[in-house]
Amino acid sequence: MEDYNKIIESLGVKFAKARHINILQPIRIKNFYDVENTLLILYDGNVKLEGIDEEIEAGDMLFIPGGKSSNITYGTGEPKNITYEEFMTRREHYFDAMTIPHEIGKVRNSFGLIAFEAKVFDSVNFFTSLDIPPFFIKNDSKLAGLIKDILVEDFTDEAGRGRVIMNKTEEVVIEIIRFILRNKMFVEQLATNSTYFKDPRLIDIFAYIKENLEGDLSNKQLANVANVSEDYVGQYFKMLTGINPQDYIEYQRMEAAVTLLRTSKKSIRAIGAEVGYKDTAYFCRRFKMMFGIPAGKMRRRESLLIG
């Protein structure tokens, strides 16, 4: 348990958004994707995750780790099948965002959600590193209460709002980890993480990648950072993380690009260059391949489920 406590202590948690959504018509979204972790609670109606046959009831929650693609059905009745890109283009036809605190949990065909980051040493997405699929959480009144508290805080403008949301989001992350441990889920992955997150050479590589996304991140350069041979660094990184370094670097670059698209007015060309892509066309191709939508449409996401 001590190792898990050390991992939790190393986590940097950042709140991203909170939404209370009214489902306007039943839909099935293919390849739903976001870089942040999402915790969704069903208040009324139906939410179904492809590949899991569990009956979901009001009060049940769905956790989707950042970076995991999922096919999700929202609403009761025969759903309309849509692509993720179509959903992003016409989302106002499917979902309506509500912001009145006393309506939370009392609207037909509705759910609440919060999205957040949880990074080890401010570099590695913790839940993504476990390589775990989305899963349901049932009968957890504490988590349900935390989601509602965050929604209420986000919909009001009381003093200390941001601090309260930050503290409660950290509680959410701890409760999800406790749920995983109590139910003995993904124990092997957790044990592996508790080992490799203590390796100082790997931590140096993570930090270097984060600080130099626009620069030279070849295996030769990473080998210099970790003080290992160029021939060994790829094997070393994959042995400890389960992913080769260049795939990890691309994910970090794309995650940074999403943040810039959402928070800045920089051109797509400038954003591509800032995260290490000299060829804008190649950046755009890789972006759409990873997220399923063009970079320009990611930029236009504002409200509702993942805006």
Side-chain angles (χ1 to χ4, degrees):
M1 194 59 65
E2 181 182 351
D3 285 344
Y4 300 142
N5 284 330
K6 287 179 179 178
I7 289 177
I8 290 171
E9 288 301 315
S10 74
L11 285 178
V13 177
K14 181 180 177 183
F15 170 78
K17 51 194 168 265
R19 299 289 183 266
H20 184 211
I21 300 294
N22 179 212
I23 305 167
L24 300 178
Q25 63 172 294
I27 56 171
R28 180 181 294 115
I29 305 173
K30 184 177 181 182
N31 295 328
F32 169 92
Y33 189 102
D34 205 359
V35 296
E36 289 136 358
N37 307 291
T38 301
L39 181 63
L40 177 156
I41 181 167
L42 178 66
Y43 289 131
D44 182 76
N46 184 55
V47 172
K48 184 173 177 59
L49 188 68
E50 187 172 295
I52 299 181
D53 295 328
E54 284 184 89
E55 289 296 322
I56 306 305
E57 300 176 352
D60 291 343
M61 286 160 279
L62 170 62
F63 178 64
I64 307 174
K68 287 294 179 182
S69 176
S70 310
N71 296 336
I72 308 179
T73 301
Y74 297 96
T76 303
E78 186 61 30
K80 177 182 178 182
N81 291 295
I82 61 173
T83 64
Y84 180 49
E85 183 173 354
E86 181 182 352
F87 171 72
M88 298 304 353
T89 304
R90 305 180 70 243
R91 58 191 181 275
E92 68 277 4
H93 293 275
Y94 309 118
F95 289 161
D96 179 34
M98 301 173 289
T99 58
I100 301 174
H102 71 258
E103 290 184 347
I104 296 171
K106 298 178 181 178
V107 178
R108 291 290 305 274
N109 293 313
S110 68
F111 63 90
L113 73 80
I114 60 170
F116 54 89
E117 293 181 353
K119 292 187 175 182
V120 182
F121 305 114
D122 198 30
S123 300
V124 184
N125 288 293
F126 175 69
F127 293 108
T128 305
S129 74
L130 294 179
D131 193 27
I132 59 179
F135 58 87
F136 286 105
I137 300 173
K138 292 172 171 284
N139 304 315
D140 195 319
S141 58
K142 185 171 184 179
L143 259 181
L146 286 168
I147 295 174
K148 184 173 182 180
D149 289 345
I150 291 170
L151 286 169
V152 170
E153 286 290 334
D154 197 51
F155 296 162
T156 57
D157 195 24
E158 298 285 343
R161 166 180 167 271
R163 188 62 177 267
V164 170
I165 290 175
M166 180 184 72
N167 290 340
K168 289 186 179 294
T169 304
E170 289 183 341
E171 281 193 70
V172 165
V173 171
I174 292 170
E175 287 302 313
I176 293 172
I177 294 173
R178 286 177 173 176
F179 178 86
I180 290 171
L181 292 172
R182 281 196 302 267
N183 290 276
K184 297 181 171 56
M185 302 167 68
F186 324 116
V187 173
E188 185 177 337
Q189 294 95 321
L190 278 165
T192 300
N193 277 2
S194 68
T195 300
Y196 82 69
F197 283 144
K198 292 185 290 187
D199 189 315
R201 293 175 300 175
L202 190 63
I203 294 168
D204 287 345
I205 291 177
F206 289 149
Y208 185 83
I209 290 171
K210 177 181 174 61
E211 294 166 7
N212 295 276
L213 288 177
E214 79 291 351
D216 177 14
L217 293 177
S218 63
N219 279 7
K220 180 178 181 180
Q221 186 59 36
L222 298 183
N224 291 335
V225 171
N227 197 27
V228 298
S229 73
E230 181 180 353
D231 291 338
Y232 177 64
V233 70
Q235 176 186 344
Y236 162 77
F237 191 95
K238 186 167 185 178
M239 176 180 67
L240 292 178
T241 66
I243 184 173
N244 75 60
Q246 295 308 314
D247 286 346
Y248 173 80
I249 289 164
E250 179 165 57
Y251 182 82
Q252 293 301 308
R253 282 174 162 158
M254 289 299 180
E255 186 181 60
V258 169
T259 299
L260 288 168
L261 285 164
R262 289 175 173 173
T263 60
S264 79
K265 295 182 179 180
K266 295 178 181 179
S267 68
I268 290 174
R269 179 188 295 274
I271 288 172
E274 189 168 331
V275 299
Y277 292 89
K278 295 187 174 80
D279 184 332
T280 304
Y282 178 71
F283 165 67
C284 289
R285 286 198 303 273
R286 294 300 299 170
F287 190 97
K288 184 169 184 181
M289 186 175 295
M290 180 170 288
F291 297 113
I293 60 174
K297 287 188 178 177
M298 180 72 77
R299 156 156 280 162
R300 290 193 292 271
R301 302 189 320 175
E302 295 176 22
S303 60
L304 302 180
L305 178 59
I306 47 178

